Amino acid sequence: MASDSVSSQAPQVALVGAGPGHPEFITLRAVECLRRADLVLYDRLVPRRILEHAALTAKCICIDSLHERHAQRIPHIHQTMIDAAKQGLRVVRLKGGDPFVFGRGGEEAAALRAAGISYEIVPGVTAALGAAACAAIPLTHRHYASGVAFIAGHEQPDKGDSALDFAALARFPGTLVFYMGVVRLPFLVQSLIEHGKPPDTPCAAVRWAATPQQQTVEAPLRELPQVVAQAEMKAPALIIVGAVVGLRRELEWFERRPLFGKHVLVTRPRHQAGDMVRQLEELGARTSLLPAVEVRPPMDWSAVDRAIAELSRYQWLVFTSANGVSFFLRRLREVGRDLRALGSLRLAAIGPATADALREYHLEPDLVPDEYRSENLAAALRDRVRGQRVLLARADRGRELLHEELAAVAEVEQVAVYSQCDAVDWDAAVLEELKAGHVDYVTLTSSNIARALVRSLEASGLAVLRDGRVRLVTISPVTSAAVRELGLPVAAEAREYTVAGVVTALLEDVQEKEKRLPKG
Ligand code: SAH
């Protein structure tokens, strides 16, 4: 809540544009407002990931959920903002696209002004601009369009006769972009043609622009209603009318990305999923997060604390995961020690991600095997640790191989620095999509993840994995073996046992399948 004198002078309410749907098509000011908000009132069309910029303590309410309960929806939204601001809360009113383009932002600002509430307005990328960029239709062009008009097509046919001046629109020397126009499309098209717009004017309809579910159809004006109906296109969609649509064929990029149209499930723990999600989305995939395992601090720290107290007894400290690094080093701080406690200990990391986790603490591992797996780490360490004392910092469940191999040549103490368990709160909506086969790929980055996922699915859910409708991509031969043991087929396996390796394997599988089945 605003406390010091400077922030108490800041506007009480921010009317913020959330952009067209891409979680990163949002302004820095919008992120800053969200970061400081106590209450966020958002529209249904706002991408959920944008809400993650808000503090955990902020209350986020979807205003469409107020809709059913309040016939007087608009005044109710206004009053909710005003009441919260009067209580001293910092309010963000988060709207799809831009607040001042068909967003009723003008009415909301007026209501705030009338109530004596201060506000700021943060612009957003309006849907037309999102569609222009991602459907590759320049809205203006030196040769084809010297202007652009944003027009409300209104989706409720019961709104009565159009207030639109079709004669003026038909004459307009530029691109027409209709918002909320799908339901009334036949009427809009007929009216434009009747008022002189050439029936062969190139047109496009773009649904869910700037999202991984973007859908675009093109047709000459006279055929557009039929083409849109055939494609079963519904709101939210924009209708773009003008010669510039013809440039799309040459400029298209968004829907051409190699994973566009693919729905990929990421099953890593939430705090570790970001990197994979980003890599997949950059290639065009739609991702859903279904963390199959969770990592937590161990129930009992005493063995770890004892090892920390006696660190100088060891010559080697071995990490088998990035989680192991962060839990161990955080615990070091919690018991009042710091990196100096590591002294001259030699450090080993099982693979590149674990090595990078060490580097984040400015620690350079002395040993990282060429290939990321226990067998290779054991082989690389065996000769170097002979006769020495080794501390193995690991999860409470996992393979015993490394411990057994090293214990044959050295004195090894292993401590569980974190605990890994099956996820408890599975996202029911994502699980349903998986069971229904509305997912193309599931990525599996460990054997534990594979087993936890299978435990969470009933027989009905397993069917789509078993028959290959949903394809499984694994991080390594060890994970593949676990998957096969569960009776499931592996579609692709990473050559390099990293997140990037999994993404590459998935991509290659898509490309191979496409080669076999050329697009009709
Ligand atoms: N303030 C918003 C518009 C709100 S009106 C903005 O500036 O974008 C809602 C209409 O916007 C929808 O009916 C649809 O026509 C359009 N729209 C919003 N997001 C869209 C998207 N991602 N793709 C296509 N059209 C979208």
Side-chain angles (χ1 to χ4, degrees):
M1 216 180 284
S3 52
D4 57 70
S5 60
V6 174
S7 62
S8 67
Q9 299 297 310
Q12 294 161 283
V13 176
L15 300 178
V16 176
H22 188 302
E24 286 169 287
F25 287 2
I26 178 169
T27 63
L28 295 174
R29 183 63 195 157
V31 170
E32 182 60 19
C33 290
L34 281 167
R35 226 172 44 73
R36 295 197 212 163
D38 303 305
L39 173 66
V40 180
L41 298 167
Y42 64 95
D43 286 343
R44 186 173 45 85
L45 282 184
V46 168
R48 289 301 140 94
R49 285 217 329 250
I50 284 183
L51 295 172
E52 288 169 15
H53 294 296
L56 286 174
T57 49
K59 192 168 176 191
C60 297
I61 301 176
C62 176
I63 60 116
D64 297 84
S65 71
L66 301 174
H67 184 42
E68 292 132 35
R69 281 180 278 139
H70 297 274
Q72 297 276 302
R73 177 162 169 263
I74 305 301
H76 184 72
I77 295 169
H78 296 174
Q79 203 55 48
T80 307
M81 284 194 292
I82 291 164
D83 291 347
K86 283 187 175 159
Q87 284 167 30
L89 300 180
R90 299 274 298 251
V91 181
V92 164
R93 173 73 179 96
L94 189 63
K95 296 163 156 297
D98 179 86
F100 274 7
V101 179
F102 308 125
R104 294 181 190 267
E107 292 160 58
E108 292 180 8
L112 293 170
R113 174 65 43 89
I117 305 289
S118 60
Y119 56 79
E120 71 174 294
I121 294 158
V122 182
V125 176
T126 189
L129 302 186
C134 297
I137 302 171
L139 295 180
T140 66
H141 190 282
R142 236 159 16 110
H143 303 314
Y144 305 106
S146 52
V148 54
F150 296 162
I151 306 143
H154 284 307
E155 296 196 327
Q156 284 98 21
D158 60 348
K159 283 207 172 156
D161 262 353
S162 183
L164 296 177
D165 179 347
F166 283 101
L169 290 177
R171 265 198 324 272
F172 181 73
T175 309
L176 306 177
V177 183
F178 290 92
Y179 286 64
M180 303 169 283
V182 178
V183 170
R184 290 220 307 176
L185 186 60
F187 167 76
L188 295 174
V189 165
Q190 189 196 345
S191 307
L192 284 173
I193 291 175
E194 275 170 15
H195 287 85
K197 191 83 187 165
D200 59 353
T201 308
C203 293
V206 189
R207 184 177 193 222
W208 286 122
T211 75
Q213 285 146 292
Q214 174 172 303
Q215 182 191 6
T216 312
V217 296
E218 285 173 64
L221 183 59
R222 82 171 91 72
E223 289 165 28
L224 190 67
Q226 190 198 340
V227 170
V228 165
Q230 264 165 5
E232 296 179 24
M233 227 189 219
K234 301 191 179 74
L238 294 171
I239 310 298
I240 306 179
V241 180
V244 287
V245 172
L247 296 166
R248 169 177 153 75
R249 203 151 302 154
E250 208 179 302
L251 302 180
E252 204 203 327
W253 64 277
F254 190 82
E255 296 174 31
R256 282 193 190 186
R257 292 171 304 160
L259 295 185
F260 183 80
K262 298 287 179 270
H263 186 190
V264 182
L265 218 60
V266 174
T267 53
R268 314 197 82 200
R270 196 168 290 275
H271 72 282
Q272 286 180 301
D275 194 25
M276 183 177 269
V277 166
R278 189 182 45 73
Q279 292 187 30
L280 290 165
E281 290 187 349
E282 273 175 1
L283 295 169
R286 171 186 166 208
T287 60
S288 291
L289 207 54
L290 192 68
V293 297
E294 285 174 8
V295 293
R296 298 194 186 141
M299 298 284 272
D300 180 4
W301 279 112
S302 56
V304 178
D305 291 352
R306 229 179 3 256
I308 288 176
E310 297 172 352
L311 270 182
S312 58
R313 286 184 52 228
Y314 298 98
Q315 281 87 37
W316 280 89
L317 175 53
V318 178
F319 292 102
T320 55
S321 70
N323 279 322
V325 171
S326 55
F327 275 94
F328 181 82
L329 292 175
R330 254 186 280 155
R331 187 62 187 172
L332 199 63
R333 291 294 312 277
E334 280 165 16
V335 298
R337 310 287 298 274
D338 62 28
L339 290 181
R340 288 170 296 180
L342 301 182
S344 56
L345 263 177
R346 296 192 162 270
L347 302 172
I350 194 166
T354 309
D356 283 344
L358 282 168
R359 290 185 189 113
E360 268 179 38
Y361 288 91
H362 298 285
L363 294 168
E364 186 58 32
D366 298 282
L367 188 143
V368 190
D370 293 337
E371 213 175 278
Y372 160 31
R373 56 166 157 179
S374 301
E375 285 81 350
N376 295 64
L377 181 58
L381 272 171
R382 267 180 84 105
D383 288 338
R384 300 188 61 178
V385 304
R386 202 171 290 278
Q388 300 187 340
R389 290 211 172 91
V390 178
L391 181 61
L392 190 56
R394 51 169 290 181
D396 61 350
R397 67 179 183 188
R399 300 177 72 202
E400 288 303 324
L401 183 131
L402 184 60
H403 180 227
E404 286 163 8
E405 295 263 311
L406 295 184
V409 297
E411 192 180 317
V412 185
E413 165 103 28
Q414 59 175 345
V415 286
V417 294
Y418 67 101
S419 157
Q420 198 194 59
C421 48
D422 289 11
V424 277
D425 55 347
W426 295 85
D427 184 328
V430 178
L431 261 183
E432 279 316 307
E433 282 201 273
L434 173 59
K435 287 182 191 168
H438 296 156
V439 166
D440 299 290
Y441 285 91
V442 175
T443 56
L444 298 169
T445 48
S446 78
S447 311
N448 281 334
I449 285 177
R451 287 190 280 262
L453 179 71
V454 165
R455 276 194 287 270
S456 77
L457 292 169
E458 296 126 35
S460 63
L462 282 176
V464 293
L465 301 182
R466 202 172 286 133
D467 66 20
R469 255 179 293 167
V470 177
R471 296 169 74 78
L472 300 175
V473 184
T474 72
I475 196 166
S476 72
V478 173
T479 306
S480 295
V483 170
R484 292 194 185 101
E485 224 165 83
L486 293 161
L488 299 173
V490 174
E493 179 183 286
R495 275 193 303 276
E496 184 199 284
Y497 311 150
T498 60
V499 163
V502 174
V503 174
T504 304
L506 192 157
L507 182 62
E508 286 172 358
D509 188 67
V510 169
Q511 287 168 339
E512 251 166 56
K513 270 183 72 185
E514 267 163 20
K515 245 185 267 158
R516 266 180 275 140
L517 282 173
K519 270 186 193 162

